[in-house]
Amino acid sequence: MQMPPEGRNWDELRAEMIARGHGDVDWRSGRTAVYVFNAGEDIHHVQHEAYGLFMSENGLGPLAFPSLAQMEKDVISMALGLLHGPTGAAGAITSGGTDSITMAMKAARDFARANGKPLTDHNIVLPRSAHLAFDKAAHLMDISVRRVPLKTDGSYEADPAAMAAAIDASTIMMVGSAPNFPHGIIDPIAALGEIAVAKDVWLHVDACVGGYFAPFARMNGVPVPAFDFEVPGVRSMSADLHKYGYCAKGASTVLFRSEDLYRHMPFSLRDWSGAPMKTPTLAGTRPGGAISAAWAVMNVLGVSGYREKQGIVCAVREKIEAGVQALGFEVLGRPLLGLVAFRHPEAETLALYSAMRARGWFTSFTAEPASLHLMLSPKHAEVADAYLSDLAAALADVKAGVAAAKVEARYS
Ligand SMILES: *Cc1c(COP(=O)(O)O)cnc(C)c1O
């Protein structure tokens, strides 16, 4: 496309944009279980309106926009209240999980430098299942990554002893996930915390996908193990608002046990032509809408609203687990929240994945071990039966050897 020489009519453009969206996955129907968290029309409406109210305002300017500064403080305070943040704990809203993780690593690195650790050649120690955002941040900061194999007992949990063995004097951070993305399993954070304290290493808990889910699941009676600041060794956490916080995209939280740890995160500079500037997160300009929408959704749902939504998601996951097990699938480990991965001993995962795509389901898969992967939303309560009956049909096709060929033809 070349820029039109004369501006075009908005009504026409709007229609064209809506038409362009028709080729996308139909997530509104619930047949997508990746990328989108569908909490229903009412929440979508609140996101939309609350985003619009502060869409032009900039979270970079707390003095210009005390409204946004206060909303951010409120969001962080609500987050710390849910995640056992002690008095003096601090944090910020970022643009997403990758931003939160990058900034937590930057703070941990600078904290290490300020506290007698080597100045260069740092490493981080993380389970094989941790998110690639850590590798990306490590790449940016020239930090080496030590990925440690998971336990071999079928739990798909991080192996604390093996992680302890990988830590040395140059380790600036160790990581546990709550839960990990590939299997949806919460790592043994309490055991990791003991190692962190004993070795005086920064422990980050990546609760990007579970931070706004696990506290409510626990209130609903799900046996969620200790995973947050309740564990003494945890120094920082990432928790995404735009996942199970059901907020508009572009919003996550990065949280620190104390102001003394947090202060290593913001970046400031006086020595240039411009005015002295300070940015707390990776972004400069920060979209006011992402902050205001998060504030609004958290308040409109409240504890009872989140408990209800996450209760629905847990019930769907249990139903899907039972349904796939009845079809002969093995569920990986014991998931407790909204993610679940499962594999079949007699059917190739990618063939099943393709056969389900052909039936209109856009989901994900896990590589180790090869398995289908679902990230469930409240909307999926309406389509779980349809999913299971399509999966039964897909399984029969794959076993009979027909589906793979058909799908290859469709997508080539
Ligand atoms: C989604 C996710 C991230 C990264 O978050 P983005 O918002 O996609 O950048 C990190 N860790 C886990 C466990 C996640 O699920």
Side-chain angles (χ1 to χ4, degrees):
M1 182 183 234
Q2 297 290 316
M3 184 182 281
E6 305 291 336
R8 293 172 55 195
N9 174 277
W10 165 238
D11 289 329
E12 255 173 49
L13 288 168
R14 187 175 183 279
E16 181 184 324
M17 290 168 79
I18 290 170
R20 284 180 181 225
H22 290 154
D24 294 348
V25 289
D26 181 14
W27 58 269
R28 288 177 184 82
S29 69
R31 294 172 82 90
T32 301
V34 59
Y35 302 131
V36 177
F37 293 78
N38 188 345
E41 271 304 314
D42 49 344
I43 297 303
H44 187 80
H45 176 72
V46 173
Q47 285 180 0
H48 200 257
E49 283 214 332
Y51 199 105
L53 286 176
F54 287 85
M55 192 179 68
S56 300
E57 282 77 358
N58 190 338
L60 178 60
L63 296 178
F65 306 110
S67 56
L68 287 176
Q70 190 57 46
M71 283 189 262
E72 180 174 15
K73 277 199 187 116
D74 292 348
V75 166
I76 295 302
S77 161
M78 287 189 266
L80 290 168
L82 291 168
L83 298 169
H84 295 99
T87 312
I93 295 184
T94 71
S95 65
T98 302
D99 190 342
S100 290
I101 286 168
T102 303
M103 294 315 292
M105 271 176 62
K106 186 254 185 217
R109 197 254 335 246
D110 290 358
F111 176 85
R113 282 180 173 163
N115 286 274
K117 291 228 180 178
L119 298 180
T120 58
D121 295 323
H122 300 124
N123 68 73
I124 54 171
V125 172
L126 54 159
R128 181 86 186 148
S129 55
H131 197 273
L132 82 167
F134 291 97
D135 302 68
K136 184 175 182 174
H139 180 76
L140 288 170
M141 287 184 264
D142 254 331
I143 292 169
S144 60
V145 176
R146 299 182 177 176
R147 279 191 179 259
V148 177
L150 303 180
K151 285 182 189 168
T152 50
D153 58 1
S155 66
Y156 297 93
E157 290 176 1
D159 181 344
M163 285 181 62
I167 291 169
D168 64 19
S170 299
T171 303
I172 56 141
M173 177 185 271
M174 59 186 290
V175 174
S177 309
N180 70 42
F181 187 78
H183 318 109
I185 302 297
I186 301 174
D187 286 327
I189 304 299
L192 296 178
E194 281 174 25
I195 294 163
V197 170
K199 294 191 177 271
D200 191 23
V201 169
W202 184 299
L203 172 59
H204 178 85
V205 172
D206 180 13
C208 275
V209 71
Y212 294 101
F213 194 138
F216 304 107
R218 187 185 265 170
M219 290 175 205
N220 288 343
V222 175
V224 174
F227 72 98
D228 58 19
F229 290 112
E230 190 182 6
V231 176
V234 176
R235 291 194 191 161
S236 62
M237 295 187 70
S238 43
D240 290 352
L241 296 160
H242 63 200
K243 288 183 182 158
Y244 286 107
Y246 304 119
C247 301
K249 284 193 176 52
S252 169
T253 46
V254 60
L255 307 165
F256 297 84
R257 174 172 294 280
S258 69
E259 187 67 42
D260 189 46
L261 303 175
Y262 171 85
R263 71 186 172 81
H264 294 280
M265 184 174 83
F267 184 85
S268 58
L269 188 73
R270 295 182 163 276
D271 190 14
W272 72 308
S273 312
M277 248 178 100
K278 180 173 180 174
T279 57
T281 64
L282 199 56
T285 292
R286 295 200 293 159
I291 297 170
S292 58
W295 188 91
V297 170
M298 288 171 102
N299 277 291
V300 91
L301 280 173
V303 171
S304 64
Y306 279 106
R307 282 185 64 174
E308 191 203 336
K309 302 263 180 230
Q310 315 308 33
I312 292 170
V313 175
C314 283
V316 182
R317 195 205 72 244
E318 283 166 15
K319 179 175 186 164
I320 300 243
E321 279 188 53
V324 302
Q325 280 165 341
L327 292 173
F329 284 85
E330 174 208 354
V331 173
L332 304 188
R334 282 202 54 209
L336 297 174
L337 305 175
L339 307 183
V340 61
F342 44 90
R343 60 175 171 173
H344 201 282
E346 296 147 42
E348 211 251 311
T349 291
L350 284 184
L352 281 170
Y353 175 82
S354 301
M356 290 301 277
R357 275 279 303 268
R359 285 174 168 78
W361 296 95
F362 201 105
T363 65
S364 185
F365 60 88
T366 286
E368 289 177 356
S371 42
L372 296 174
H373 180 276
L374 301 177
M375 191 163 74
L376 298 164
S377 296
K379 180 72 182 177
H380 292 123
E382 296 167 29
V383 298
D385 286 320
Y387 178 81
L388 289 169
S389 63
D390 277 354
L391 186 62
L395 179 62
D397 279 0
V398 170
K399 278 188 180 169
V402 295
K406 242 194 232 163
V407 168
E408 245 166 43
R410 265 181 97 114
Y411 288 97
S412 60

